[in-house]
Amino acid sequence: NAGVTQTPKFQVLKTGQSMTLQCAQDMNHEYMSWYRQDPGMGLRLIHYSVGAGITDQGEVPNGYNVSRSTTEDFPLRLLSAAPSQTSVYFCASSYFATGELFFGEGSRLTVL
Amino acid sequence: KQEVTQIPAALSVPEGENLVLNCSFTDSAIYNLQWFRQDPGKGLTSLLLIQSSQREQTSGRLNASLDKSSGRSTLYIAASQPGDSATYLCAVGAGFQKLVFGTGTRLLVSP
């Protein structure tokens, strides 16, 4: 059982480049979300989804786009990377709206 | 705005000691509270989930309590082991999928 899978694990971008962080889960979870983790700030919610076709903004959505075309996948797009987006990104999913969250291993992004 | 604080930021104990990690939050209107463990360079592993109607949850050597009225939760680890060394994160459910995290307590258990 793979759980929540994130790719890539590491990525270096130049300012202004775009890229997509992939997230897939095989647990048939309706609820998925993206967080970023920065030193001294804890994890902060970027975007979340309550089901296929439904997404909403979290605490720090600027500069990021999401879509949810299938239950399994929830990609996070960086439209024009900035150094402030250097962070570790985590995807999470849960079966219930207020249920236990399962996290991926994270994607470490550096923007030069 | 919900704020979550974890004290202490770091803790070092000898193996076998019982210990308590603290988590406080400013808004008692929460859906749930979840404790996670994070190893260096790794993702988060869920330890215990306490729904807002519950007072505590137990799993093995771990016990988590929740007191919404005082805005506090504690994670009790019994008979600590070196393998328990990690960062422990507390997160409060502020809405559907909306967790607000503390900055964690870094625990080191020495043999």
Side-chain angles (χ1 to χ4, degrees):
Chain A
N1 190 349
V4 180
T5 302
Q6 292 184 234
T7 56
K9 288 188 176 4
F10 301 94
Q11 183 72 49
V12 179
L13 289 178
K14 294 181 180 178
T15 297
Q17 288 184 318
S18 62
M19 77 156 299
T20 299
L21 300 178
Q22 302 290 346
C23 175
Q25 52 89 12
D26 61 359
M27 298 175 283
N28 200 31
H29 287 174
E30 288 293 330
Y31 303 92
M32 298 186 73
S33 49
W34 278 100
Y35 290 83
R36 60 178 288 174
Q37 185 175 34
D38 302 293
M41 298 194 70
L43 280 84
R44 292 178 292 168
L45 180 64
I46 305 171
H47 284 286
Y48 65 99
S49 170
V50 299
I54 306 171
T55 63
D56 206 346
Q57 297 180 352
E59 181 185 356
V60 288
N62 293 340
Y64 307 95
N65 246 355
V66 292
S67 60
R68 184 98 179 269
S69 57
T70 68
T71 299
E72 294 78 19
D73 300 299
F74 190 43
L76 178 71
R77 297 182 186 84
L78 281 70
L79 309 173
S80 177
S84 61
Q85 294 179 303
T86 293
S87 186
V88 182
Y89 292 85
F90 289 99
C91 179
S93 73
S94 66
Y95 187 77
F96 298 105
T98 58
E100 182 181 10
L101 240 61
F102 295 86
F103 279 80
E105 291 280 295
S107 296
R108 185 176 297 272
L109 175 67
T110 300
V111 183
L112 303 175
Chain B
K1 178 185 175 184
Q2 179 73 268
E3 293 182 358
V4 179
T5 303
Q6 291 187 246
I7 295 173
L11 182 64
S12 182
V13 300
E15 181 177 6
E17 193 163 298
N18 301 326
L19 57 99
V20 174
L21 306 182
N22 297 295
C23 172
S24 62
F25 47 94
T26 55
D27 187 346
S28 62
I30 65 172
Y31 285 76
N32 56 33
L33 187 143
Q34 197 164 352
W35 282 93
F36 295 90
R37 168 188 173 135
Q38 185 175 28
D39 293 288
K42 299 292 187 180
L44 282 68
T45 300
S46 176
L47 297 174
L48 290 165
L49 169 67
I50 310 176
Q51 299 292 352
S52 62
S53 59
Q54 299 174 320
R55 295 299 298 268
E56 67 176 344
Q57 284 286 342
T58 297
S59 176
R61 295 183 293 108
L62 306 179
N63 175 276
S65 67
L66 173 63
D67 184 344
K68 284 198 309 177
S69 61
S70 66
R72 295 183 184 276
S73 175
T74 62
L75 178 66
Y76 175 82
I77 302 177
S80 58
Q81 303 170 358
D84 294 330
S85 298
T87 296
Y88 290 80
L89 297 167
C90 165
V92 168
F96 290 175
Q97 286 285 298
K98 294 180 181 179
L99 289 187
V100 179
F101 281 82
T103 52
T105 294
R106 190 168 64 252
L107 174 65
L108 176 62
V109 181
S110 304

